[in-house]
Structures are given as C-alpha cells and as structure tokens.
Amino acid sequence: MSNEAVQLEVRGEVALVRLDDGKANALSHVVLDGLAAAFDQAEKEQAKAWVLAGRPGRFSAGFDLSVMRDGPRAAGELVLKGADLAIRLYAAPVPVVLAVTGHALAMGAILLLSADERIGSEGAFKLGLNEVAIGMTLPDFGIEFARDRLSKRHLGRAVANAEIYDPPGAVDAGFLDRVVPPESCLDEALATAQTLAGSLNGRAHAGTKRALRAEVLDRLRQSVVDDRARLAGS
C-alpha cells in the first residue's frame, strides 16, 4: 500500500515503511494516518520485523507546524495521534528498526525513542527534542519516553535544555544505537531487522518486551487518556 508520503513494501519477513514527503517529513494527520495504515498492513502480512525509514537527509522534523499553530485543539489532536503511533511502535510485538536517514527533531526524535534499534546516518544532521527552544512544553508521553530510553547523563540537557545532537552525540545520549555511512543506512536497518526476524522466537520476544515495558506503557497510556480528557474539556 502507499499514499503520497508513506509506502509499504514487504521484503520476506520484514515490512519496510518509507516516509518521504519530498520535504521535511513533517507529521500531519494525513501522514500519521498513512503510517498507521502501513503498520496495520504489516500486521496483516504477519511480518516478523518492521523497518521505518526516512528520506535521504531527513527522518522527520516533527509535527506539521501549520497544524500546531492552528490553535490548542488542533495541536492537541495532532499530538495525541503522534503519541498513538509512538506507543504502538514501542509496544509492537515484533522488533522495530529505524533507518534514521537525517535530521530527527521534536516528534521525529520521540519516534527514535520508541524503536528497538536505531541506525543513524553519518553527516551534519541534527537530532533531539527542541520543543523547549521553540516555546513548547514537551508532552508527558515524550518525557516518559525520554526517561526510559535516554542516558541519565543527558536527560536534563536533552529534555529541559533542548540540547541538539549530531549523530555520534545522539548515540551517546541514547537517541541512536549506531551510525553508518548514509548510503548504508537503509541496508543496515533492513539487515538488522532480518537478523532479528530470523534469530528471535517471536512469541518469546513479544512476551519479554511486554513484561519489560509494562510499567512504562501503563504510564504512557495513562498520559494519553489524561490528555484526551483535558482536550475534550477545553
């Protein structure tokens, strides 16, 4: 399946979801709906691992700012849809690998914190949670992801101080697992996903990950419930 920005290709046991809007890979309602549909199809295809890849030079710049500037309700609805995607990836019963092909900021960086393996591209790329620098309070679900996945040495700097990292720094902070030449990023992500799909017992992986992440998932889901209730009452 595909739409203008999201394409799904099943390669053996691996589902490859590509995000490419030809620009900054901003996360709009249309893009998030496309990603949700792609992962729905990946589940129907019974893929044993998922890969989410950006376009060359861009993984994702985060939420579509035209929506975020359209008032609190419009922004809140988009943020909740982004939270649903990140939680889905974090809770996925199969390994989730990201090909981080370039810049990853704001919600784009939160997606990095939701995946099992993050393969980044070498280059002059910016990765991090820049919300505070642009006048936004990081949503509770973003803070929960940061607490779980980022190095404690970097947590305050990355979240409250909006520090932006280059790819090697992002590895040290916990946004990425390793960095490879840009021409190898997608191939490395696919190879990693294929290795995980072939080497792990699917039922054991799903059960172990569910137990490992249960407490964080409870907090993530409750934060979304609370945010939806606040939005409904606004």
Side-chain angles (χ1 to χ4, degrees):
M1 56 77 58
S2 68
N3 65 16
E4 290 184 0
V6 180
Q7 295 185 338
L8 169 67
E9 178 185 351
V10 178
R11 299 189 180 188
E13 296 178 313
V14 175
L16 168 61
V17 178
R18 295 178 185 263
L19 175 59
D20 183 355
D21 67 357
K23 297 177 285 187
N25 278 352
L27 300 172
S28 64
H29 284 288
V30 171
V31 168
L32 288 169
D33 288 344
L35 288 168
F39 289 118
D40 286 345
Q41 187 62 34
E43 289 184 343
K44 290 178 183 177
E45 298 283 349
Q46 298 184 332
K48 294 184 179 180
W50 299 348
V51 173
L52 175 59
R55 61 185 293 266
R58 301 285 189 276
F59 179 73
S60 175
F63 290 120
D64 184 342
L65 291 180
S66 68
V67 180
M68 297 298 288
R69 293 167 178 158
D70 197 27
R73 176 168 292 278
E77 290 171 351
L78 186 62
V79 167
L80 287 172
K81 191 173 286 187
D84 288 340
L85 173 64
I87 292 170
R88 180 179 191 174
L89 296 180
Y90 185 75
V94 299
V96 177
V97 181
L98 300 191
V100 185
T101 49
H103 301 298
L105 295 168
M107 187 63 208
I110 292 175
L111 290 178
L112 307 190
L113 303 179
S114 72
D116 297 304
E117 295 272 352
R118 296 80 45 91
I119 315 300
S121 290
E122 295 173 349
F125 299 124
K126 298 178 179 181
L127 303 97
L129 302 167
N130 66 330
E131 282 86 349
V132 171
I134 61 174
M136 297 176 61
T137 299
L138 194 68
D140 289 347
F141 75 88
I143 293 172
E144 289 294 344
F145 275 119
R147 282 187 180 131
D148 185 53
R149 301 303 303 279
L150 292 181
S151 162
K152 292 189 183 302
R153 294 183 295 105
H154 288 269
L155 184 59
R157 291 158 53 188
V159 175
N161 295 354
E163 183 163 336
I164 301 302
Y165 298 88
D166 62 11
V171 173
D172 191 51
F175 287 105
L176 297 176
D177 292 296
R178 65 183 185 274
V179 175
V180 300
E183 63 273 15
S184 304
C185 186
L186 179 57
D187 288 343
E188 287 285 335
L190 287 167
T192 298
Q194 187 59 59
T195 296
L196 292 170
S199 64
L200 298 178
N201 178 284
R203 182 175 298 178
H205 172 78
T208 300
K209 188 158 70 171
R210 184 169 56 248
L212 177 66
R213 297 181 173 176
E215 292 183 7
V216 177
L217 278 167
D218 285 346
R219 293 196 297 271
L220 286 166
R221 289 167 174 152
Q222 187 59 53
S223 74
V224 171
V225 168
D226 293 343
D227 284 345
R228 282 204 168 93
R230 283 193 288 268
L231 188 63
S234 64

